[in-house]
């Protein structure tokens, strides 16, 4: 949802929109299939796009699904950094994280607040925040709490 909305606003740029299984078409963008659990898929997409900026919005974001579906591969895409180092080392990386890296007991939070995730979703997002912070100097981490808007196009109107 967020990636599609951002792509629509970037019409002056050459935007590549990656998808896993449900192809997404946004006018003025190039769609590329990407499986974050497959290193050759990651290398192929990074080589094809050679990004100047990467906005990582992919996530298994339902906490209950994170516990059973192995969200680490999607929410902590370590190999993506390896591929970027090789093929696009000057890429700026924007990572959409979550306020669920906190336990909710000491709000409001700021940048220096100590994270304390209470489930796997928050833990996987925090893990990649930390990895990004140590391995990729040109990064921005956005911690969202609630994203709302029109129904996501892949889910229909239900």
């Amino acid at each position: 949802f967020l990636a599609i909305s951002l792509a629509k606003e970037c019409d002056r740029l050459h935007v590549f929109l990656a998808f896993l299984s449900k192809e997404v078409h946004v006018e003025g963008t190039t769609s590329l299939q990407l499986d974050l659990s497959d290193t050759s898929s990651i290398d192929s997409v990074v080589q094809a796009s050679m990004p100047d900026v990467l906005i990582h919005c992919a996530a298994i974001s339902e906490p209950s699904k994170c516990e059973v579906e192995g969200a680490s591969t999607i929410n902590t895409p370590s190999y993506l950094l390896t591929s970027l180092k090789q093929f696009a080392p000057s890429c700026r990386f924007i990572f959409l994280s979550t306020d669920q890296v906190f336990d909710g007991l000491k709000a409001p939070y700021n940048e220096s607040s100590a994270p304390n995730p209470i489930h796997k979703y928050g833990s996987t997002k925090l893990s990649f925040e930390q990895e990004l912070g140590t391995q990729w100097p040109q990064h921005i981490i956005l911690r969202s709490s609630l994203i709302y808007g029109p129904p996501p196009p892949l889910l229909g109107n239900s």
Side-chain angles (χ1 to χ4, degrees), residues 12 88 145 157:
R12 298 183 325 267
S145 59
N157 291 323

Side-chain angles (χ1 to χ4, degrees), residues 4-43:
I4 293 167
S5 297
L6 287 170
K8 288 179 181 178
E9 298 301 319
C10 295
D11 60 351
R12 298 183 325 267
L13 308 171
H14 190 178
V15 176
F16 292 86
L17 192 57
F19 65 93
L20 175 59
S21 58
K22 297 177 182 173
E23 188 166 0
V24 177
H25 295 283
V26 175
E27 188 176 335
T29 70
T30 302
S31 292
L32 299 170
Q33 187 166 11
L34 172 63
D35 180 351
L36 287 170
S37 67
D38 179 358
T39 58
S40 61
S41 174
I42 293 170
D43 285 343

